[in-house]
Amino acid sequence: MNAVALMDGTRPRKGGGAVVGVVLLAVLGALALAPWFTSFATQRLLVEIFTVFAMALAWNLLAGYGGLVVVGHQMFVGVGAYVLFALSNRLGINPWLMLPLATAATALFALLSALPMFRLSGAHFAVGTWVLAEMLRILTLNNEWLGAGGGMPLEALASFDRWTRNAGVYWSALITGVGALFIARLMLRGKLGLALMSVRDSEAAAAASGVSIQRAKLALWVIAGSITGLAGAVAYMNTLQVTPDATFSLNWSAAAIFIAVLGGIGTLEGPILGTLLYFLLRESFASYGSWYFIGLGSLAIATMVFAPGGAWSLLTRRWAIDPFGVRRDMPRR
């Protein structure tokens, strides 16, 4: 269904909202208590899951709703992480208090980077984002204040005991993942989400309907960049060390793209399902070395050929489900 046709009135499909809400609250309650009954290794894995999910969700919003296929998604990861580490170390401030500032700094970077990036489109835009990420990596690599090639440790966390440090990072990651999902749902159910869906379906028709295409894409760019920057900052609080090659690595974008493709581009449920499948495969088969990567690539290709809508589309073909209530239908007269 063309989203432009929905500009006059929409109504989200009901999907058992009360049941979904109760289940989510129960799951969140159990996850919030995890530091008291799980090992440090499990907490660190969960931190990685929550932060990678937030990154994949942000990439999915850009590509699936804004038509912005980003190859250099890792630039937001690097900016968020380096701002947190540099300011926390130099100013001696509690890193958790610096997370909002790292998020704001990434939002500002996204806003400024939109000036050159939004002059590009299609393949040029995708390659341009990768080039920008590489420029940031090289600049960081040659900046002694940021630790140059050796990077820098998060010295500001040295005063915390191990349990407090791990639990604090874990809760930050949990809030980041859940918060990203909440913000994405709120956005998609509002005017911005409707505008983005219309732009995704047909830019020409959206413009003819009075949608400000550049403004909608810019808002999405800043929101997605902020989410990714926060996730990057928390992810590197988990490792306690940043380096240019790791922080601005293409691996971050590759993981986000794989998760989005596997789960389903243009949905909120896709990144959730894709993240679960990605980490299940990684934890089960990573020991197979190069065969593991060959398997991941083959799975991605098979998904794009036989289920272009991802794993989530296989479920919606059989059942009309919309747990987050973001699907829009024509109003019935």
Side-chain angles (χ1 to χ4, degrees):
M1 182 183 297
N2 194 317
V4 176
L6 309 180
M7 295 299 289
D8 294 329
T10 61
R11 178 172 57 191
R13 181 175 301 180
K14 296 180 180 179
V19 175
V20 173
V22 171
V23 172
L24 287 178
L25 285 176
V27 172
L28 287 177
L31 289 174
L33 298 175
W36 282 283
F37 60 84
T38 58
S39 65
F40 290 141
T42 300
Q43 291 173 43
R44 292 173 69 84
L45 175 60
L46 288 173
V47 168
E48 189 177 2
I49 291 173
F50 295 142
T51 52
V52 170
F53 161 72
M55 297 174 194
L57 176 62
W59 189 92
N60 203 348
L61 289 173
L62 289 169
Y65 291 93
L68 300 171
V69 179
V70 181
V71 178
H73 200 56
Q74 65 271 19
M75 62 183 169
F76 298 125
V77 177
V79 170
Y82 265 97
V83 168
L84 175 74
F85 274 60
L87 295 183
S88 294
N89 286 347
R90 305 308 181 193
L91 302 178
I93 298 176
N94 186 319
W96 284 284
L97 298 179
M98 298 301 294
L99 284 174
L101 185 56
T103 306
T106 312
L108 178 60
F109 167 77
L111 187 63
L112 295 176
S113 66
L115 296 176
M117 290 297 101
F118 277 30
R119 294 178 178 272
L120 308 174
S121 61
H124 296 92
F125 173 82
V127 174
T129 61
W130 173 75
V131 171
L132 181 56
E134 278 297 290
M135 290 173 59
L136 291 175
R137 184 186 68 83
I138 294 171
L139 287 172
T140 308
L141 193 65
N142 292 278
N143 191 313
E144 292 294 336
W145 191 77
L146 295 176
M152 64 173 70
L154 189 54
E155 299 169 354
L157 278 182
S159 59
F160 294 90
D161 63 88
R162 188 181 183 189
W163 192 95
T164 301
R165 183 174 65 243
N166 279 273
V169 173
Y170 170 80
W171 284 322
S172 299
L174 178 60
I175 292 172
T176 298
V178 175
L181 185 59
F182 174 79
I183 291 172
R185 181 179 183 273
L186 189 66
M187 180 186 72
L188 293 178
R189 286 176 62 88
K191 292 182 179 179
L192 177 58
L194 187 60
L196 290 170
M197 291 180 194
S198 67
V199 171
R200 176 191 62 187
D201 290 346
S202 172
E203 284 198 17
S209 300
V211 176
S212 178
I213 296 174
Q214 286 297 100
R215 186 178 301 174
K217 288 188 174 183
L218 178 61
L220 176 63
W221 179 255
V222 173
I223 291 171
S226 302
I227 291 173
T228 307
L230 174 60
V234 176
Y236 278 96
M237 284 179 73
N238 196 37
T239 64
L240 302 176
Q241 176 81 22
V242 289
T243 61
D245 290 337
T247 312
F248 291 100
S249 171
L250 188 61
N251 290 337
W252 290 113
S253 290
I257 294 171
F258 178 80
I259 288 171
V261 169
L262 187 61
I265 296 178
T267 67
L268 288 185
E269 299 84 2
I272 298 174
L273 190 56
T275 301
L276 294 175
L277 292 173
Y278 171 73
F279 279 96
L280 179 63
L281 292 170
R282 198 192 72 173
E283 294 302 306
S284 301
F285 302 107
S287 59
Y288 287 87
S290 59
W291 287 106
Y292 162 70
F293 294 103
I294 293 173
L296 286 184
S298 301
L299 180 59
I301 293 172
T303 301
M304 289 184 284
V305 172
F306 298 106
W312 183 249
S313 68
L314 300 177
L315 298 177
T316 55
R317 288 177 191 174
R318 186 174 181 85
W319 299 286
I321 50 178
D322 184 25
F324 294 106
V326 296
R327 185 179 302 172
R328 297 178 181 270
D329 297 317
M330 287 292 290
R332 297 179 182 179
R333 299 184 182 276

